[in-house]
Amino acid sequence: MTPAAILLVEDNMMNQKLAKTLLEIEGYVVHVASAGAEALTILDTTIPDLILTDIQMPGMDGLELTRIIKGRPDTRHVPVVAVTAYAMRGDRDRFMAAGCDGYISKPIDATTFVHVVASHLERARANPGVGPS
Ligand code: MN
């Protein structure tokens, strides 16, 4: 099976490096963006199987990025998982309202991170019907 491709959007270099390393150990192909605008540029040429996005970023934040992704016919089917330190109850509602399919709390716990990513990828593979025809 082709390894799943993941777009990782994170402005903090330490968090970016940790997440990228964990994903690559799992065998995923990882595309990295340090800002929302950069992520959208990547999405113009590459549609990943999953998008992981930080919420708090300079410029376009992760919620705005998610709204754009979920408004684009070519990307709306891609699961978006927020990776954030602000995962309190009210925040979860904000993420879901923006279109996020799930969230992972920072600081990243390696085991949880890998499990959540795998479960979203499995769900997306089991329901490919919502992708572009
Ligand atoms: Mn950030």
Side-chain angles (χ1 to χ4, degrees):
M1 194 163 17
T2 310
I6 296 175
L7 172 59
L8 170 67
V9 191
E10 169 64 75
D11 68 303
N12 179 284
M13 290 304 133
M14 261 179 59
N15 291 338
Q16 189 187 101
K17 189 170 173 19
L18 170 63
K20 183 171 189 280
T21 299
L22 292 173
L23 295 169
E24 286 179 342
I25 288 170
E26 294 300 305
Y28 302 127
V29 173
V30 185
H31 303 276
V32 177
S34 300
E38 188 186 353
L40 292 175
T41 300
I42 292 172
L43 289 171
D44 284 336
T45 56
T46 306
I47 305 296
D49 298 295
L50 177 74
I51 297 166
L52 294 169
T53 184
D54 181 25
I55 293 298
Q56 197 173 54
M57 296 185 286
M60 183 189 305
D61 71 10
L63 294 181
E64 179 62 20
L65 174 64
T66 300
R67 285 186 205 103
I68 293 171
I69 289 167
K70 293 301 181 177
R72 274 174 54 163
D74 60 334
T75 56
R76 68 189 334 150
H77 67 288
V78 180
V80 177
V81 177
V83 184
T84 175
Y86 299 92
M88 297 191 297
R89 190 177 182 84
D91 292 317
R92 182 184 183 283
D93 293 341
R94 287 194 306 129
F95 304 158
M96 297 307 158
C100 291
D101 298 277
Y103 71 90
I104 297 171
S105 296
K106 287 179 189 170
I108 288 173
D109 172 75
T111 306
T112 305
F113 180 74
V114 163
H115 277 147
V116 172
V117 166
S119 76
H120 279 280
L121 285 169
E122 278 165 28
R123 200 178 308 166
R125 277 207 164 113
N127 300 285
V130 291
S133 52

